[in-house]
Amino acid sequence: MGEIIQAVTGVSYADYIQKHVYDSLGMKNSFTSTAEAKKKGLASGYQSVFGFMTTTEQTDNPSMLASAYLISTAEDMSNYLLVQINKDRF
């Protein structure tokens, strides 16, 4: 999907999401970059290592952006959900 959006619009997937989703829905704490999210207080992730929970560093992987690397808050995601529930009205 990310490649199709880039090919059709001529802009990066990250820029498209920022303009057409995050900005238009007032999602001020949503990011397409781990580095930008870290500047705004991105929480640490955790993973189990031999049965012990340990913090894990969130890597920035732009090639996975369209499938797994969008970062958001619960509050911002509620804006997105409202649009889905209200048939594209925010």
Side-chain angles (χ1 to χ4, degrees):
M1 181 174 119
E3 290 293 325
I4 293 170
I5 288 173
Q6 288 181 167
V8 171
T9 65
V11 299
S12 72
Y13 181 74
D15 290 344
Y16 183 89
I17 292 298
Q18 186 66 51
K19 180 179 179 184
H20 295 280
V21 178
Y22 293 165
D23 292 347
S24 65
L25 297 178
M27 297 171 72
K28 294 179 172 59
N29 294 301
S30 297
F31 308 94
T32 57
S33 160
T34 304
E36 287 300 313
K38 285 180 181 178
K39 290 179 189 175
K40 298 286 187 161
L42 176 66
S44 295
Y46 290 86
Q47 68 182 34
S48 178
V49 177
F50 300 111
F52 297 96
M53 295 305 290
T54 182
T55 58
T56 185
E57 182 72 22
Q58 177 75 23
T59 59
D60 208 2
N61 189 345
S63 67
M64 299 278 296
L65 185 60
S67 64
Y69 274 75
L70 297 177
I71 302 165
S72 191
T73 62
E75 182 179 4
D76 278 4
M77 287 306 295
S78 69
N79 290 0
Y80 182 79
L81 180 60
L82 285 170
V83 169
Q84 301 301 314
I85 292 170
N86 293 320
K87 301 179 183 176
D88 292 335
R89 288 177 295 142
F90 180 61

